[in-house]
Structure formats: C-alpha cells, structure tokens
C-alpha cells in the first residue's frame, strides 16, 4: 500500500460513515487496528534488540500509523453517536436490526483496540494466557451489550417523548377521535374543542389529547418491548436485561401518570373520564400479553382525580349554602366579574292546577311522581341549591362509578352531611330570627299560602307554618335531601346478582356480598347519625322516623345514562 493511500484512510472512513457504507467503514477500521498491532509488535522487537545498545530508536513510522489510527477512531466515535441518533427515530424492526449489528461490530473493534493498548502499555498477569485474554474480552463485550441495551431504550424514550409533545401541544394524530355521547340517539361529538385562528387547524382538547396519548403509548410500548426482545434475544433471559426493560416500563408508566394528572383536571364530563378509564383497561390488557399489566398502577390516578373533583363540588356547595343562609345573598360569576343576587330563605310557589298529558303512558306518570316528591325544595332556594350541588357530584360518580372509591366517597359525604347538620344546629337562632318574617307572611296570607309553607311532600314529615324556619330546614334536609342522596349511592353501587359476571370463587362472591351489606349498613348509620345531631339541637322530634318509601332518585339523572354498574 502506498503512503498516500494510507494517509487517506481517515477520510475514507469518514466518507463511508456519512454516506451509509457502514460495512466498508468497519473493514477499514479493522485494517487500521491490524496495522497498529503490527507496528506495536515491531517496535517491541526493536526495543528488545537494542536494549544493550546506546543507538537511538527511530519510531517515526509508528508515529504516523498512530496518528492515522487515532483519526479513524475519532470518526468511529462520531459514527456511533450517529447510529444512536437513528435509534431515536421511527424505524422498522429490520432497520433496527441493521443498526444494532453495526453498533455491535463497532463496539467490538473499539474493545479490541483498547485491549491491545492495555496489553502493550500495562502488561500484567491478566494477559499471561490466551484464555484469560478471551475471558476479559467476553466480559467487556457483555458489559458493552448492557450499555447498548440502555442506549436503545434511551433512544426509544426520546422518540416517544417527541411524539407525546406533539400531541400535548395540540397537534391532531392519525386516528379519527370522537367523544362518547351520553345520548343514545345522538351522534358522537368531535374531540377537537376549538379551531386555531388563521390556519384553521383542529386543536385537540384535554379528552382528545388523553385518547391520543393512550394510542401513542399503546402502539409504541408494545413495539419497543417486542423489538427489545427480538434485538437482544440472546441476553433477554438474563436478570440485568429483564431489570432494564422493567425499569424502562416503570419510568414510562410514571410519565403517563403525570401527563394524565394534568389532563384529567381539565376534563369536566363524566362520560369522558369513564371512556379514558376503559381505554386504560384495554391498554393494560394488551400490555399483559408481554407481561406488563399496569392496571393496578394507573387506576389510582383516576381515583384521586374523581374523589378530588366530587369532594370539591360537595364542599363548594355546602360553603355556598352557608353563605346563602347567613347573608341571604349569593355571588354569581358573570363576564364582567361577580354579580350579587338576593337569595331568600323561603320563596312562595304559585301552585296552579297542573294538568299532565294523559297520553304520556306509565313511564311519564312514574317520572312525574318520582320528581314531584322533591318539588317542595323549590320553596327553599338554599336547600334547592345544596341538593343540586350534591347531585352534580353524584352524577359525575354515576358516569364513572369506580368501586374502589365507594367507601371513600361515602365517608367524604358523611363528613359533609355532619358539617351541614352541625351548621344548622349552630345557626338555629339566626335561622329562627330571619325566618320569622316568612312565617308571619304565610300566617297572614291566604289558605293557599298556608298550605304552601306547611309541607310540599306528602311523604315527608308535615311541618306547620307555626314552626320556626330552623326546624323547617332541618325537616326538609332530614326527610328529603339526605335520603335522596343516600338512595343515589345505593343505585349507583348496586350489587347486581342477575347479570352475567365473570366466574369467581365462592369465597370472593361471599366477600363481595358482605362488603355490600356493610355498605348498606354504613348508609343507614349515616342517616341515623345525622338524625341524632339534629335531635340534639332540638330541630326535629325524637320520634321522627325515616321515610318508609323514599322517592326514586333516577328521575334526577339524565334519562340516557342507564348503566350504573361499577367498572
């Protein structure tokens, strides 16, 4: 080989690397390593032969070869970075196999040169035999293989993060996404919440971003796991390899959980949350095919969001109720700011003859009967607002009835009701004073006005107009609001023994029944505890009994939402 050709080797390796001729670059690198090894051996021979001589040793040729080898290996390090960047792009399995094959050859070349340099510069007992040399080389290759697995997973993480950022920035994905409709006869609603100004591009809302995020993770996670098992098939059974993949999946799951926490806060519709829960179960079921069932880790994220949202709704409703009772005013948010509205403790209802259409059938008659039992609360605006706030949270729970939240939500609702009853006891004198004017107006009014104040529901305990307003409110809460809301809990978390359920052991079925019986017992205890608080404040009689047949709460929910079974 001519000296000019030898000096052009670094440029040839660089050109092959930039143009994708990786095999040719590996051949040149192997040739350069062999050339370096020959010159190292030759220099050792010259050193041994001139040990006793004072003649200076000419190592000029070795210096040129060393410079060429160094330049080639600098190019190889750049080539390795370039190949790792290719792993962070969307690639098919054949291309990944090709890239990993080049990386393995490249690492092998780099290790061979490192071992030769160590053998030449630091001769030790590790290199006394070929067996020890091979053992060391195999250990280094195994270590490099582990590093290569880490590099592969890191590169795929970069690719996934880039895809997720595109979705969260509002760019639409490949799938045609629609929001689940709450009405059986309505077409699904598109998930794109708004149109960007000027360009007219569709922008995904929080629910659309969540669905698209799950779709990306579903395809990419499964692809990465299968690619990893195919690319590292020889070492996939080792402990370190399984640990790396498990750690990567755990890290990706934590990222998904954090993204979902941010998205779920901005989703107000219960059906949308339920749809995301179902999609997560489907995603987890698919990943279970490769040994990654994460349903037990992602569902607590929904639990936290659902219980926080419902709890905040109930707490805000109770706070507003207290404000209405104390000030007889309420602040309403409008476009320009806050608008103060007067909220009386009692509002007389004009009761005219209500003629319902006789051709409505039994369904119309049952709905009218069920809803009329609570119509009396319209005479008490603060109570009507309070019940509506409770039912907003219950409606959200009905759309996504997570069984794991049943006892927690019931305990939370018990705390809200206990706070409500304690407030009535503490505010009894204030209610009595403020309500005196409404009682006097009813006493001085007509018979119709008297009957309006003397009780709106035949099922509830009749309260005469001579009673104080605090007792009127206590009776309405005890006989209408609390039974209605607790009955909603019973319907949402009904133990369905007639529908087809997955096969389970007898012990599991017994535990479910015992848990449901305890749940019903807790509901009775809540009502009884509230009654004791009101009795202790002398707001209701001691002998007041619960309503024997409470009104059906189904009428307060949307007619289209019929599925009440927990997920």
């Amino acid at each position: 080989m001519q000296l000019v050709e030898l000096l052009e080797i670094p440029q040839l390796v660089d050109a092959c690397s930039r143009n994708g001729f990786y095999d040719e670059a590996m051949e040149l690198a192997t040739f350069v390593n062999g050339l370096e090894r020959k010159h190292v051996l030759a220099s050792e021979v010259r050193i041994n032969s001139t040990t006793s001589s004072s003649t200076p040793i000419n190592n000029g040729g070795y210096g040129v070869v060393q410079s060429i080898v160094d330049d080639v290996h600098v190019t190889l390090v750049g080539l390795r970075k370039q190949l790792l960047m290719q792993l962070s792009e969307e690639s098919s399995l054949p291309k990944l196999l090709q890239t990993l094959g080049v990386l393995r050859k490249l690492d092998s070349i780099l290790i061979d040169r490192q071992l030769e340099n160590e053998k030449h510069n630091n001769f030790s007992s590790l290199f006394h035999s070929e067996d020890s040399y091979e053992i060391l080389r195999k250990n280094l290759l195994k270590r490099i293989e582990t590093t290569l697995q880490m590099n592969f997973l890191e590169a795929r993480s970069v690719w996934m993060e880039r895809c997720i950022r595109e979705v969260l920035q509002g760019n639409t994905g490949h799938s045609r996404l629609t929001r689940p409709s709450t009405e059986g006869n309505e077409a699904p609603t598109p998930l794109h919440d708004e149109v960007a100004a000027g360009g007219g591009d569709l922008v995904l809302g929080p629910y659309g971003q969540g669905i698209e995020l799950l779709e990306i993770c579903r395809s990419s996670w499964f692809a990465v796991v299968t690619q990893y098992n195919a690319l590292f098939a020889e070492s996939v059974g080792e402990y370190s390899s399984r640990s790396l993949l498990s750690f990567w999946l755990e890290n990706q799951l934590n990222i998904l959980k954090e993204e979902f926490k941010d998205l779920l806060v901005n989703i107000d519709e219960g059906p949308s949350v339920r749809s995301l829960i179902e999609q997560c179960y489907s995603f987890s079921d698919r990943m279970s095919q490769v040994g990654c069932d994460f349903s037990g880790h992602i569902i607590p994220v929904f639990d936290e969001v659902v219980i926080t949202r419902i709890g905040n709704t109930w707490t805000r409703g109770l706070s507003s109720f207290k404000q209405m009772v104390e000030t007889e005013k309420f602040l309403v948010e409008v476009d320009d700011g806050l608008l103060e509205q007067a909220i009386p403790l009692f509002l007389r209802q004009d009761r005219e003859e209500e003629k319902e259409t006789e051709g409505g059938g039994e369904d119309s008659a049952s709905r009218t009967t069920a809803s009329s039992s609570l119509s009396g609360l319209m005479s008490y605006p603060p109570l009507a607002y309070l019940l509506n706030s409770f039912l907003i949270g219950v409606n959200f729970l009905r759309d996504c009835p997570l069984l794991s939240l049943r006892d927690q939500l019931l305990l939370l609702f018990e705390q809200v009701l206990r706070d409500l009853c304690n407030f009535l006891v503490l505010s009894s004198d204030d209610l009595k004073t403020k309500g005196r004017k409404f009682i006097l107006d009813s006493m001085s009014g007509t018979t119709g006005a008297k009957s309006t104040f003397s009780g709106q529901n035949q099922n509830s305990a009749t309260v005469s107009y001579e009673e104080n307003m605090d007792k009127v409110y206590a009776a309405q809460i005890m006989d209408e609001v609390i039974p209605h809301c607790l009955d909603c809990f019973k319907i949402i978390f009904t133990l369905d023994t007639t529908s087809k359920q997955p096969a389970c052991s007898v012990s599991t079925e017994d535990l479910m029944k015992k848990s449901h019986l305890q749940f019903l017992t807790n509901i009775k205890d809540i009502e009884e505890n509230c009654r004791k608080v009101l009795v202790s404040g002398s707001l209701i009689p001691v002998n007041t009994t619960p309503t024997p047949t409470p009104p059906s709460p189904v009428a307060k929910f949307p007619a289209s939402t019929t599925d009440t079974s927990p997920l």
Side-chain angles (χ1 to χ4, degrees), residues 232-248:
F232 305 100
E234 295 181 357
S235 58
V236 75
E238 298 179 1
Y239 176 76
S240 59
S241 178
R242 295 196 306 270
S243 300
L244 285 176
L245 185 58
S246 299
F247 177 79
W248 181 84

Side-chain angles (χ1 to χ4, degrees), residues 34-175:
L35 189 63
E36 181 187 30
R37 192 160 47 248
K38 290 180 181 179
H39 281 74
V40 167
L41 293 175
S43 64
E44 289 179 354
V45 171
R46 286 196 298 271
I47 290 174
N48 293 331
S49 62
T50 57
T51 301
S52 59
S53 175
S54 60
T55 305
I57 302 174
N58 184 9
N59 289 329
Y62 175 72
V64 173
V65 173
Q66 186 70 33
S67 175
I68 294 174
V69 173
D70 291 340
D71 292 342
V72 169
H73 279 270
V74 169
T75 304
L76 292 181
V77 172
L79 174 60
R80 193 177 194 280
K81 295 180 180 179
Q82 177 184 344
L83 293 173
L84 291 177
M85 289 181 62
Q86 292 183 6
L87 293 178
S88 63
E89 300 174 355
E90 187 171 0
S91 303
S92 60
L93 181 59
K95 187 174 181 180
L96 291 174
L97 283 171
Q98 179 185 5
T99 304
L100 264 295
V102 176
L103 283 171
R104 287 190 175 100
K105 291 181 181 178
L106 181 57
D107 291 335
S108 177
I109 291 174
L110 295 175
I111 286 177
D112 289 340
R113 193 206 176 201
Q114 179 183 356
L115 289 176
E116 289 296 333
N117 289 337
E118 290 290 335
K119 184 177 180 180
H120 173 68
N121 298 326
N122 301 312
F123 187 81
S124 64
S125 59
L126 294 175
F127 302 99
H128 283 173
S129 64
E130 290 296 330
D131 293 338
S132 60
Y133 176 85
E134 287 298 327
I135 291 175
L136 180 60
R137 185 174 184 276
K138 287 181 180 180
N139 291 333
L140 288 176
L141 287 176
K142 185 180 295 185
R143 182 177 179 182
I144 289 297
E145 184 72 9
T146 302
T147 304
L148 194 58
Q149 294 171 6
M150 297 173 60
N151 293 334
F152 171 78
L153 294 176
E154 290 175 357
R156 304 315 286 170
S157 298
V158 173
W159 165 64
M160 284 187 56
E161 183 179 357
R162 186 164 56 246
C163 295
I164 292 174
R165 291 277 78 80
E166 292 179 358
V167 171
L168 297 182
Q169 288 174 2
N171 299 330
T172 57
H174 300 290
S175 57

